[in-house]
Amino acid sequence: MNEPRHLFDKVWDAHAVGTLANGQTQLLIGTHLIHEVTSPQAFGMLDDLGLPVRMPHRTFATVDHIVPTDQRQEPFADPLADAMIKALRANCERHGITYFDLGSGRQGIVHMVGPEQGITQPGTTIACGDSHTSTHGAFGAVAFGIGTSQVRDVLATQTIAMTKPKVRRIEVNGQLGPGVYAKDVILHIIRTLGVNGGIGYAYEYAGDVFDRMSMEERMTVCNMSIEGGARCGYVNPDDTTFAYLEGRPYAPQGAAWDEAVARWRATASDPGCAYDDVVVIDAADIAPTVTWGINPGQAVFIDERVPHPDEVPAGERASIVEALAHMQLQGGQAIAGTPVNVAFLGSCTNARLSDFREVAAVLRGRRVAPGVRAIAVPGSTLVKEACEREGIDRVLIDAGFEWRAAGCSMCLAMNPDKLRGDELCASSSNRNFKGRQGSATGRTVLMSPVMVAAAAVTGAVADARAVFGAREA
Amino acid sequence: MALEPILQLAGRGVVVPGDDIDTDRIIPARYLRAITFDGLGDALFRDVRFDEEGRPLDHPLDQPERQGATVLLSGRNFGCGSSREHAPQSIVRAGFRAVIAGSFAEIFFQNATTLGMVCLALGDDDLAAVCAAVEADPAAEVAIDVTAATVTVAGHGYAGALPATARDALTRGRYDPLAELLEHDADVAATAERLPYVAGGTA
Ligand code: SF4
């Protein structure tokens, strides 16, 4: 009888090419995703070395970070952004790489496009020059972000040198309360284990809460693994996974589909396998969560107060003082009621169809508070079109949101969408770092999309359960 | 692609205090709008060094007595956030050869090591002592022995942490793995052949 193994080990072993002289593993990357920001330098390095792309058929590209979400005509107003999209297009053409361009109908944030196209599959290894590649772990893939030199390595060899991480199983069991979303679950996990708690680990999310989640919810959770320090996070594949993938353009078809499902099922962690660490969380302990500080672990429940520097261990005081000063908050004050200038619905964490459906359901017949700039940016062109078919765009526009085209937008503000000055943004994205949303003094409060909607209509950080009435999540 | 082994290095230090210094702080996203890494050294810590009108904010990196420093010192979880190699690239291009911190975020550590920049972790008390010595004397030499993973400053030695794989890569001049990865192409092909989704043609 074979030892029971977890998914991570099975996938790692199947993709291990060999051991390098320094003891690291040479790991085959079955699926390589690229975008315009972190790939041009890698193609340049490849050219300098005179090397071809090793497996162009396993490389997929799209454009997301720099695309304007209002005026998408080329040339872009920003010549630097325009040079980036042209470089990506030229590199893909030259090397025979599939590229989901603007206008292809399939463009979007790279972590949306992989799943939508069925490229993201269980039991695979996926790398991308982007830390939120962990998103793809929702399908039971081993997926992680890499730097540009490693993008070069994957382009040239389809492999990278990597040290195998440990695996921590994070079980969330029980029933989430009404108005508690996948975003709250992951914010709570990061708050509990810390922003560096996951360094050296891959996270396996398990327990009945994840079993019941849709693929879109699982993606929201896996997306933010990196905010907890874990380069990779995954959920074991199950019928929910297979149902999502069936019939998508790059999913196996016919007899190959049945074989694939059998293989994928066998990739899931075996009952009774050993983990390096196990953490168990009770779903009933999780409430709607918002960040108050300048990293995603600085979070509280919506009805809590932000920490007071005098009440925390000496070692944490300096970072709390810094965070409070940046956020213009007083230690010990309630987070609810903090005035909001901007509401941003978007990013690879929470800009999927289910997110916009939830938001539309609560926004119908309501108005964004006067003075609040509200922007909704679908994560992909397919999501945008689906929302428009369902009339979700109308609900959002009638409520006072701007309805944009797909891209990263104000998640990192590399395109024209930015905070101004010290504006405070209620954001469905994943990072609240200083300066993240395009202004050095700008302030970000992370929360679920429905909480962003509540902030938008009240003009302040607010408990969506009170604003809209509690709904079953 | 034989690289020079990195066994030890020494230089003056500069302290950029704080835990969880993220990659957006190290290099704000607007400087990523480029298709090369050229010129990134000037953008290092841009938004904490200059205000919105471009006036200097007297950041440690801009203090006259810190010019020419080659060792950057900071707190815990340095380089957290995005995978952008622009972050270590900007540090290297600003003239630094090593970062000493409480701990490092994983992708940053990997990216930096691939560039041959030494990332050495120190325990809280030792880190505080090294930072204090550097703060006290801008001319103080910070010496790092990569093989031993130690730091010496102002006559005191401190034991740091550097994972064996990175230590090996740096001291043997193989921190850029590409040449070795290329050597095993037959094994790559064999592994790919066993994986239906990789072997299976264009879709
Ligand atoms: S949406 Fe934000 S986090 Fe996601 S890939 Fe784009 S910039 Fe990165």
Side-chain angles (χ1 to χ4, degrees):
Chain A
M1 229 296 316
N2 289 334
E3 276 276 293
R5 293 191 300 162
H6 47 57
L7 175 141
F8 193 90
D9 271 1
K10 295 185 202 181
V11 176
W12 184 274
D13 292 350
H15 292 77
V17 172
T19 304
L20 299 167
N22 69 359
Q24 288 190 295
T25 302
Q26 181 171 9
L27 191 72
L28 184 92
I29 300 302
T31 302
H32 187 202
L33 306 173
I34 61 174
H35 61 79
E36 75 282 14
V37 181
T38 55
S39 72
Q41 308 84 352
F43 282 109
M45 297 175 197
L46 218 59
D47 287 347
D48 290 347
L49 297 164
L51 293 168
V53 175
R54 179 66 177 80
M55 294 188 194
H57 75 289
R58 295 308 307 162
T59 310
F60 302 88
T62 192
V63 60
D64 49 11
H65 287 68
I66 52 101
V67 293
T69 54
D70 42 7
Q71 171 51 264
R72 308 230 289 183
Q73 229 80 301
E74 290 178 59
F76 297 153
D78 174 1
L80 298 174
D82 197 62
M84 292 172 83
I85 190 172
K86 293 197 168 39
L88 180 66
R89 194 174 285 139
N91 284 325
C92 289
E93 235 160 66
R94 202 153 53 90
H95 294 282
I97 291 167
T98 304
Y99 171 43
F100 304 111
D101 203 348
L102 291 182
S104 69
R106 303 201 260 179
Q107 171 268 343
I109 304 171
V110 62
H111 310 308
M112 306 276 301
V113 170
E116 283 176 348
Q117 295 303 316
I119 293 165
T120 301
Q121 295 176 11
T124 61
T125 51
I126 302 177
C128 174
D130 191 284
S131 60
H132 293 100
T133 308
S134 57
T135 311
H136 307 264
F139 292 79
V142 167
F144 45 82
I146 55 178
T148 291
S149 292
Q150 289 183 305
V151 172
R152 173 206 61 182
D153 294 348
V154 181
L155 289 173
T157 72
Q158 206 65 28
T159 66
I160 58 166
M162 195 168 166
T163 304
K164 188 176 174 180
K166 294 182 278 189
V167 178
R168 171 180 293 143
R169 180 177 162 97
I170 300 176
E171 258 182 58
V172 184
N173 295 310
Q175 204 71 41
L176 293 174
V180 180
Y181 293 88
K183 181 65 157 286
D184 302 306
V185 173
I186 186 61
L187 283 171
H188 183 70
I189 289 172
I190 297 166
R191 175 188 180 186
T192 306
L193 299 178
V195 286
N196 52 15
I199 292 180
Y201 282 95
Y203 281 173
E204 175 178 298
Y205 302 103
D208 49 19
V209 166
F210 296 108
D211 291 345
R212 281 192 302 268
M213 277 188 184
S214 69
M215 289 316 295
E216 303 208 338
E217 294 171 307
R218 293 177 188 179
M219 284 189 256
T220 296
V221 172
C222 290
N223 174 272
M224 289 190 70
S225 303
I226 185 66
E227 310 312 334
R231 203 166 169 182
C232 157
Y234 66 88
V235 176
N236 280 300
D238 60 9
D239 289 335
T240 306
T241 320
F242 312 142
Y244 177 99
L245 283 172
E246 190 164 12
R248 297 202 177 248
Y250 287 84
Q253 318 282 333
W257 168 258
D258 296 329
E259 283 166 33
V261 169
R263 217 171 38 242
W264 293 341
R265 245 184 241 292
T267 319
S269 296
D270 300 324
C273 67
Y275 296 88
D276 299 290
D277 190 29
V278 177
V279 171
V280 180
I281 291 171
D282 185 348
D285 292 342
I286 307 175
T289 300
V290 297
T291 59
W292 59 267
I294 54 173
N295 72 52
Q298 291 177 325
V300 289
F301 295 143
I302 184 62
D303 55 4
E304 284 184 286
R305 294 174 176 277
V306 307
H308 196 290
D310 295 347
E311 294 161 2
V312 301
E316 289 167 34
R317 203 160 295 150
S319 27
I320 286 179
V321 169
E322 182 190 359
L324 290 171
H326 180 82
M327 295 302 292
Q328 302 175 25
L329 293 169
Q330 302 298 324
Q333 83 172 74
I335 190 71
T338 306
V340 161
N341 312 102
V342 178
F344 174 62
L345 285 172
S347 91
C348 57
T349 313
N350 276 123
R352 300 188 181 81
L353 180 56
S354 57
D355 297 316
F356 289 110
R357 280 182 180 154
E358 293 278 358
V359 166
V362 295
L363 278 184
R364 201 174 294 277
R366 297 186 196 256
R367 286 288 305 168
V368 169
V372 173
R373 185 153 63 101
I375 306 175
V377 185
S380 72
T381 305
L382 286 176
V383 168
K384 175 176 158 69
E385 289 169 357
C387 286
E388 290 170 0
R389 273 196 305 277
E390 295 186 14
I392 289 171
D393 60 323
R394 280 311 332 162
V395 175
L396 287 169
I397 292 166
D398 290 347
F401 271 81
E402 293 175 40
W403 178 248
R404 298 289 189 83
C408 295
S409 179
M410 209 188 272
C411 175
L412 96 166
M414 273 184 77
N415 79 341
D417 308 331
K418 294 181 197 324
L419 294 185
R420 302 170 197 137
D422 64 357
E423 280 180 333
L424 187 139
C425 179
S427 181
S428 71
S429 58
N430 47 43
R431 287 194 173 138
N432 51 343
F433 299 150
K434 278 185 181 177
R436 172 74 177 181
Q437 293 192 289
S439 163
T441 49
R443 297 169 291 159
T444 303
V445 178
L446 303 176
M447 56 185 79
S448 70
V450 167
M451 291 283 281
V452 171
V457 301
T458 61
V461 176
D463 189 338
R465 297 171 301 186
V467 177
F468 301 124
R471 298 157 32 86
E472 286 301 322
Chain B
M1 270 176 286
L3 299 161
E4 199 61 28
I6 300 169
L7 302 171
Q8 46 217 352
L9 52 92
R12 291 184 291 111
V14 55
V15 181
V16 176
D19 291 336
D20 307 311
I21 301 275
D22 58 76
T23 49
D24 282 83
R25 196 103 53 97
I26 297 171
I27 177 130
R30 63 182 182 281
Y31 294 105
L32 275 45
R33 286 157 42 250
I35 55 175
T36 71
F37 288 132
D38 298 346
L40 282 187
D42 294 338
L44 176 63
F45 286 117
R46 182 74 204 185
D47 287 345
V48 281
R49 285 167 63 189
F50 300 94
D51 71 9
E52 278 165 35
E53 275 78 53
R55 288 183 296 251
L57 297 168
D58 196 31
H59 188 269
L61 284 180
D62 295 310
Q63 290 159 4
E65 67 275 19
R66 299 291 168 185
Q67 299 313 301
T70 56
V71 179
L72 187 69
L73 295 112
S74 193
R76 276 175 286 190
N77 198 26
F78 186 81
C80 62
S82 103
S83 63
R84 62 184 71 155
E85 190 169 304
H86 305 68
Q89 287 275 1
S90 69
I91 298 174
V92 170
R93 284 161 194 266
F96 291 96
R97 299 181 60 206
V99 182
I100 299 175
S103 61
F104 294 90
E106 213 167 305
I107 305 179
F108 177 89
F109 182 88
Q110 169 113 37
N111 288 340
T113 305
T114 304
L115 300 178
M117 184 163 71
V118 178
C119 291
L120 190 78
L122 285 183
D124 288 350
D125 295 344
D126 288 350
L127 182 62
V130 172
C131 288
V134 168
E135 299 272 30
D137 178 10
E141 188 181 77
V142 183
I144 298 175
D145 183 323
V146 180
T147 315
T150 56
V151 185
T152 306
V153 60
H156 290 277
Y158 304 88
L162 185 61
T165 48
R167 194 185 314 194
D168 177 275
L170 292 164
T171 56
R172 291 174 193 248
R174 52 184 182 214
Y175 44 88
D176 183 337
L178 181 56
E180 198 183 351
L181 296 175
L182 282 164
E183 278 168 23
H184 302 133
D185 191 60
D187 299 334
V188 173
T191 307
E193 208 45 52
R194 286 195 294 273
L195 295 161
Y197 79 104
V198 183
T202 51

